[in-house]
PDB file of all heavy atoms in Angstrom:
ATOM      1  N   VAL A 164      13.057   9.644  -1.704  1.00 98.00           N
ATOM      2  CA  VAL A 164      14.323   9.486  -2.307  1.00 98.00           C
ATOM      3  C   VAL A 164      15.427   9.776  -1.274  1.00 98.00           C
ATOM      4  O   VAL A 164      15.383  10.924  -0.644  1.00 98.00           O
ATOM      5  CB  VAL A 164      14.457  10.485  -3.495  1.00 98.00           C
ATOM      6  CG1 VAL A 164      15.670  10.091  -4.421  1.00 98.00           C
ATOM      7  CG2 VAL A 164      13.239  10.584  -4.336  1.00 98.00           C
ATOM      8  N   ILE A 165      16.229   8.845  -0.895  1.00 98.00           N
ATOM      9  CA  ILE A 165      17.194   8.983   0.098  1.00 98.00           C
ATOM     10  C   ILE A 165      18.507   9.313  -0.462  1.00 98.00           C
ATOM     11  O   ILE A 165      19.212   8.513  -1.047  1.00 98.00           O
ATOM     12  CB  ILE A 165      17.320   7.726   0.974  1.00 98.00           C
ATOM     13  CG1 ILE A 165      15.923   7.122   1.327  1.00 98.00           C
ATOM     14  CG2 ILE A 165      18.070   7.867   2.237  1.00 98.00           C
ATOM     15  CD1 ILE A 165      14.998   7.856   2.097  1.00 98.00           C
ATOM     16  N   LEU A 166      18.875  10.605  -0.358  1.00 97.00           N
ATOM     17  CA  LEU A 166      20.152  11.047  -1.009  1.00 97.00           C
ATOM     18  C   LEU A 166      21.059  11.651   0.037  1.00 97.00           C
ATOM     19  O   LEU A 166      21.512  12.842  -0.090  1.00 97.00           O
ATOM     20  CB  LEU A 166      19.838  12.080  -2.135  1.00 97.00           C
ATOM     21  CG  LEU A 166      18.973  11.452  -3.249  1.00 97.00           C
ATOM     22  CD1 LEU A 166      18.649  12.375  -4.359  1.00 97.00           C
ATOM     23  CD2 LEU A 166      19.812  10.240  -3.949  1.00 97.00           C
ATOM     24  N   GLY A 167      21.290  10.919   1.103  1.00 96.00           N
ATOM     25  CA  GLY A 167      22.197  11.302   2.137  1.00 96.00           C
ATOM     26  C   GLY A 167      21.824  10.550   3.410  1.00 96.00           C
ATOM     27  O   GLY A 167      21.163   9.571   3.327  1.00 96.00           O
ATOM     28  N   PRO A 168      22.143  11.075   4.514  1.00 95.00           N
ATOM     29  CA  PRO A 168      21.735  10.461   5.744  1.00 95.00           C
ATOM     30  C   PRO A 168      20.224  10.573   6.027  1.00 95.00           C
ATOM     31  O   PRO A 168      19.648  11.625   5.572  1.00 95.00           O
ATOM     32  CB  PRO A 168      22.549  11.094   6.895  1.00 95.00           C
ATOM     33  CG  PRO A 168      23.000  12.339   6.289  1.00 95.00           C
ATOM     34  CD  PRO A 168      23.066  12.250   4.836  1.00 95.00           C
ATOM     35  N   CYS A 169      19.649   9.681   6.676  1.00 95.00           N
ATOM     36  CA  CYS A 169      18.229   9.715   6.962  1.00 95.00           C
ATOM     37  C   CYS A 169      18.163   8.823   8.240  1.00 95.00           C
ATOM     38  O   CYS A 169      18.106   7.560   8.086  1.00 95.00           O
ATOM     39  CB  CYS A 169      17.344   9.202   5.893  1.00 95.00           C
ATOM     40  SG  CYS A 169      15.564   9.191   6.243  1.00 95.00           S
ATOM     41  N   ALA A 170      18.411   9.417   9.354  1.00 91.00           N
ATOM     42  CA  ALA A 170      18.597   8.711  10.596  1.00 91.00           C
ATOM     43  C   ALA A 170      17.617   8.976  11.682  1.00 91.00           C
ATOM     44  O   ALA A 170      16.988   9.986  11.731  1.00 91.00           O
ATOM     45  CB  ALA A 170      20.064   8.893  11.128  1.00 91.00           C
ATOM     46  N   GLY A 171      17.570   7.988  12.572  1.00 88.00           N
ATOM     47  CA  GLY A 171      16.658   8.103  13.753  1.00 88.00           C
ATOM     48  C   GLY A 171      15.199   8.104  13.256  1.00 88.00           C
ATOM     49  O   GLY A 171      14.851   7.365  12.428  1.00 88.00           O
ATOM     50  N   GLY A 172      14.417   8.934  13.965  1.00 87.00           N
ATOM     51  CA  GLY A 172      12.972   8.953  13.684  1.00 87.00           C
ATOM     52  C   GLY A 172      12.717   9.324  12.182  1.00 87.00           C
ATOM     53  O   GLY A 172      11.658   8.855  11.679  1.00 87.00           O
ATOM     54  N   ALA A 173      13.593  10.090  11.627  1.00 93.00           N
ATOM     55  CA  ALA A 173      13.396  10.484  10.208  1.00 93.00           C
ATOM     56  C   ALA A 173      13.127   9.435   9.293  1.00 93.00           C
ATOM     57  O   ALA A 173      12.464   9.588   8.252  1.00 93.00           O
ATOM     58  CB  ALA A 173      14.564  11.266   9.715  1.00 93.00           C
ATOM     59  N   VAL A 174      13.607   8.258   9.558  1.00 95.00           N
ATOM     60  CA  VAL A 174      13.451   6.975   8.657  1.00 95.00           C
ATOM     61  C   VAL A 174      12.048   6.585   8.417  1.00 95.00           C
ATOM     62  O   VAL A 174      11.675   5.928   7.475  1.00 95.00           O
ATOM     63  CB  VAL A 174      14.278   5.876   9.056  1.00 95.00           C
ATOM     64  CG1 VAL A 174      15.761   6.044   9.072  1.00 95.00           C
ATOM     65  CG2 VAL A 174      13.882   5.364  10.404  1.00 95.00           C
ATOM     66  N   TYR A 175      11.148   6.989   9.441  1.00 96.00           N
ATOM     67  CA  TYR A 175       9.813   6.509   9.382  1.00 96.00           C
ATOM     68  C   TYR A 175       8.962   7.176   8.321  1.00 96.00           C
ATOM     69  O   TYR A 175       7.999   6.660   7.947  1.00 96.00           O
ATOM     70  CB  TYR A 175       9.168   6.423  10.776  1.00 96.00           C
ATOM     71  CG  TYR A 175       9.743   5.332  11.601  1.00 96.00           C
ATOM     72  CD1 TYR A 175      10.445   5.577  12.707  1.00 96.00           C
ATOM     73  CD2 TYR A 175       9.519   4.003  11.091  1.00 96.00           C
ATOM     74  CE1 TYR A 175      11.021   4.490  13.410  1.00 96.00           C
ATOM     75  CE2 TYR A 175      10.003   2.940  11.821  1.00 96.00           C
ATOM     76  CZ  TYR A 175      10.810   3.184  13.032  1.00 96.00           C
ATOM     77  OH  TYR A 175      11.349   2.099  13.661  1.00 96.00           O
ATOM     78  N   SER A 176       9.311   8.323   7.904  1.00 97.00           N
ATOM     79  CA  SER A 176       8.596   8.905   6.775  1.00 97.00           C
ATOM     80  C   SER A 176       8.777   8.147   5.521  1.00 97.00           C
ATOM     81  O   SER A 176       7.669   7.642   4.953  1.00 97.00           O
ATOM     82  CB  SER A 176       8.963  10.460   6.654  1.00 97.00           C
ATOM     83  OG  SER A 176       8.216  10.864   5.367  1.00 97.00           O
ATOM     84  N   PRO A 177       9.959   7.862   5.102  1.00 97.00           N
ATOM     85  CA  PRO A 177      10.176   6.961   3.993  1.00 97.00           C
ATOM     86  C   PRO A 177       9.468   5.686   4.136  1.00 97.00           C
ATOM     87  O   PRO A 177       8.813   5.087   3.187  1.00 97.00           O
ATOM     88  CB  PRO A 177      11.632   6.832   3.790  1.00 97.00           C
ATOM     89  CG  PRO A 177      12.291   8.003   4.519  1.00 97.00           C
ATOM     90  CD  PRO A 177      11.258   8.406   5.582  1.00 97.00           C
ATOM     91  N   ALA A 178       9.615   5.055   5.312  1.00 97.00           N
ATOM     92  CA  ALA A 178       9.045   3.683   5.560  1.00 97.00           C
ATOM     93  C   ALA A 178       7.559   3.714   5.338  1.00 97.00           C
ATOM     94  O   ALA A 178       6.988   2.685   5.080  1.00 97.00           O
ATOM     95  CB  ALA A 178       9.432   3.277   6.995  1.00 97.00           C
ATOM     96  N   LEU A 179       6.937   4.878   5.518  1.00 97.00           N
ATOM     97  CA  LEU A 179       5.475   4.969   5.356  1.00 97.00           C
ATOM     98  C   LEU A 179       4.933   5.215   4.017  1.00 97.00           C
ATOM     99  O   LEU A 179       3.844   5.134   3.614  1.00 97.00           O
ATOM    100  CB  LEU A 179       4.869   6.013   6.314  1.00 97.00           C
ATOM    101  CG  LEU A 179       4.887   5.735   7.793  1.00 97.00           C
ATOM    102  CD1 LEU A 179       4.665   6.969   8.562  1.00 97.00           C
ATOM    103  CD2 LEU A 179       3.910   4.624   8.160  1.00 97.00           C
TER     104      LEU A 179
END
Side-chain angles (χ1 to χ4, degrees):
Chain A
V164 197
I165 316 298
L166 296 179
C169 179
V174 296
Y175 284 115
S176 173
L179 289 165

